[in-house]
Amino acid sequence: MKLKTLVLFLVPICAFFQSVQAQINQVDNIVGENILIQSKVLQEEREIQIYLPDSYEESNKNYPVLYVLDGQRLFLHGVSLYQSFSHFKKTPEFIVVGISNKYPDRFTHFSSGSDNFLSFIENEVITVIDENFRTSEERLLFGWEYGGGFVIKSMLDKPNLFDAYLASSAYPITNTTKRMDSLLSSNIKFNTLLYFSASTSESGLFVSANKLDSILKRKAPVSMKWVFKKLEGVDHSSTPYSAMEDGVKQYFKYYPELQFSTFDEFREAGRLPYVIEYYKRRAEKFGFSPELSEWTKFTILRNAIRANKFSEFEIYANTFISVDFIHGLRGNRPYEITDFYRKHKAYDKAIYILEILVEKDPESEKPLTELGDVYTLLNNKKEASKYYKKAKKLSKD
């Protein structure tokens, strides 16, 4: 009897899963497009991948291009970074191009055949991309390991081909480092960004990167932009992921609205003069307004609140706070400011902001209740009662 019951129970379950399975439609998950190039330089057919920004079809803009070596492995990471950066407005939108390479051919292309491979990139890959897509001719090149060594050598061979040379765990760079030393001694000028990184766990690679860093510290001209990032707790196979992210962010350094995590970070950066200079450079490079954004102003105030630095908070509050500024704050943010004023008995300033909030949203009971609380602290029962009654009426309505 139990067996019969179990069979009867299983039959409808099997029928259910068969029904669900029948309703599933599988489609290909396609990221970007593949382009085949008949390379005269390499005398073979080469595949490159391209991913266009979300706004590409609806706009007439020109876009920067991130060229990613070893695209067979790292192209999708470049696309993922683009999606994250553009969503959170960390960088402008950009095109991602992956240049695939097979093993073991990549070792030849990035070392003994590097001159030929650079010619392929310059004269065929870049030409195809610039002729067929709307590019701004602003280019970044990223490579890892042997590809990283190729990136640094390419900067010395063609310093104006790319605007940023991003290298992760670059190898080998001993000869490149000597050449860099020689070129810098001759007072050559580089106007591009060189970003390179290595993990402390990569022994010889880290030593070579440190040597290059020391040469740049001693001899790099003021005009040269370069960053050396020491990675902790990252193994060799993982370094390209953090390096590509950080390198792209370094190149677009002045694009995002500036914000600070702590008040100490704001203070160590150089306080308000640093912020003003940041927005000046942001305007020059990307065409934004040179005025400080409301979000930047609020993060400075919020960090002063969290650090309980009232005297410094007042300096910046007196500079930043206006009717428009308060109107632009969402959610509970204006009340963080009024609560801080109340905490330090600056009741008149709390009242000023709360009255702006009442005018902004006369149907909200919160600023009315808060005003009642402030007047209670001032022992002004008449004014407190007036605002409490208004808040109560709104609550009933």
Side-chain angles (χ1 to χ4, degrees):
M1 187 67 180
K2 288 183 179 179
L3 180 60
K4 183 178 179 181
T5 303
L6 180 60
V7 170
L8 290 172
F9 178 71
L10 288 175
V11 167
I13 290 179
C14 292
F16 169 76
F17 281 111
Q18 286 176 349
S19 173
V20 170
Q21 190 174 17
Q23 294 173 20
I24 293 175
N25 293 318
Q26 291 182 319
V27 295
D28 291 336
N29 181 13
I30 300 172
V31 179
E33 298 177 355
N34 291 337
I35 298 174
L36 297 178
I37 297 177
Q38 296 296 332
S39 172
K40 293 179 181 179
V41 175
L42 301 178
Q43 296 184 345
E44 62 181 5
E45 185 177 73
R46 299 288 306 194
E47 180 181 276
I48 63 174
Q49 304 120 313
I50 183 166
Y51 185 88
L52 300 176
D54 298 337
S55 68
Y56 188 88
E57 295 300 331
E58 290 77 33
S59 77
N60 57 4
K61 293 190 300 183
N62 296 329
Y63 298 86
V65 184
L66 169 64
Y67 288 88
V68 180
L69 300 178
D70 287 315
Q72 75 283 357
R73 177 186 170 195
L74 299 172
F75 170 72
L76 290 177
H77 183 58
V79 173
S80 176
L81 285 179
Y82 154 74
Q83 291 174 335
S84 178
F85 287 160
S86 62
H87 177 76
F88 290 104
K89 295 182 173 55
K90 297 292 185 182
T91 69
E93 290 186 302
F94 55 86
I95 295 170
V96 183
V97 172
I99 304 174
S100 295
N101 238 320
K102 297 177 182 177
Y103 284 81
D105 295 349
R106 70 183 292 271
F107 301 110
T108 303
H109 289 146
F110 294 147
S111 54
S112 61
S114 61
D115 291 343
N116 219 29
F117 200 69
L118 183 58
S119 177
F120 160 66
I121 292 174
E122 179 181 14
N123 298 307
E124 296 182 325
V125 177
I126 292 176
T127 299
V128 166
I129 297 301
D130 284 350
E131 288 180 352
N132 291 278
F133 301 95
R134 296 194 312 274
T135 66
S136 65
E137 297 188 0
E138 187 176 9
R139 309 183 191 110
L140 298 80
L141 178 66
F142 175 84
W144 166 78
E145 194 197 50
Y146 277 82
F150 173 84
V151 165
I152 296 177
K153 182 178 181 298
S154 298
M155 189 196 78
L156 298 175
D157 292 339
K158 298 279 185 177
N160 298 315
L161 184 57
F162 293 91
D163 298 277
Y165 293 83
L166 316 176
S168 169
S169 305
Y171 178 84
I173 60 170
T174 302
N175 291 333
T176 305
T177 301
K178 291 178 182 177
R179 189 175 163 202
M180 177 76 78
D181 193 356
S182 176
L183 284 172
L184 293 178
S185 297
S186 66
N187 295 319
I188 190 171
K189 292 184 178 180
F190 291 102
N191 295 317
T192 54
L193 168 68
L194 171 62
Y195 173 94
F196 59 105
S197 67
S199 172
T200 53
S201 68
E202 291 181 299
S203 57
L205 296 183
F206 186 75
V207 171
S208 297
N210 255 324
K211 187 173 182 179
L212 177 58
D213 178 54
S214 65
I215 290 171
L216 291 167
K217 283 178 178 176
R218 287 185 285 108
K219 297 188 175 182
V222 176
S223 63
M224 184 175 180
K225 301 180 286 290
W226 58 276
V227 176
F228 172 44
K229 186 67 173 289
K230 299 177 182 179
L231 305 177
E232 300 284 349
V234 182
D235 64 27
H236 180 63
S237 64
S238 302
T239 56
Y241 304 107
S242 56
M244 190 189 300
E245 176 181 1
D246 193 48
V248 173
K249 283 166 63 177
Q250 286 289 344
Y251 178 71
F252 292 114
K253 177 180 178 181
Y254 294 103
Y255 186 85
E257 292 181 74
L258 189 59
Q259 66 178 51
F260 299 95
S261 301
T262 65
F263 195 75
D264 284 343
E265 182 186 339
F266 165 69
R267 194 158 45 193
E268 289 165 10
R271 301 177 186 263
L272 204 53
Y274 169 80
V275 178
I276 292 170
E277 178 64 21
Y278 178 96
Y279 274 90
K280 178 183 175 183
R281 294 193 182 190
R282 185 173 186 254
E284 290 170 352
K285 186 168 179 60
F286 299 108
F288 291 114
S289 167
E291 300 299 321
L292 276 61
S293 75
E294 303 304 288
W295 174 243
T296 296
K297 294 175 183 177
F298 176 71
T299 61
I300 293 171
L301 296 178
R302 182 169 63 183
N303 284 322
I305 291 170
R306 290 174 175 175
N308 199 27
K309 304 283 186 182
F310 184 70
S311 58
E312 294 179 85
F313 165 85
E314 274 213 302
I315 293 171
Y316 301 113
N318 291 338
T319 303
F320 299 154
I321 291 178
S322 66
V323 173
D324 288 342
F325 176 76
I326 297 301
H327 280 183
L329 296 178
R330 293 179 296 173
N332 201 49
R333 289 171 185 168
Y335 298 104
E336 292 183 50
I337 297 172
T338 56
D339 287 349
F340 196 57
Y341 275 136
R342 285 169 55 180
K343 177 181 177 180
H344 290 274
K345 297 182 171 54
Y347 300 123
D348 56 331
K349 295 183 177 179
I351 290 170
Y352 169 73
I353 294 174
L354 290 168
E355 286 177 342
I356 292 173
L357 293 172
V358 170
E359 183 182 356
K360 177 189 174 184
D361 188 3
E363 300 302 314
S364 173
E365 49 187 285
K366 184 173 177 60
L368 293 168
T369 303
E370 294 272 330
L371 277 167
D373 292 343
V374 173
Y375 280 111
T376 298
L377 291 170
L378 288 168
N379 202 29
N380 187 334
K381 295 180 181 179
K382 181 179 178 181
E383 285 296 303
S385 177
K386 180 178 76 174
Y387 287 109
Y388 284 143
K389 285 178 181 178
K390 288 182 179 180
K392 187 175 181 180
K393 184 177 185 303
L394 283 175
S395 179
K396 285 182 178 179
D397 292 342

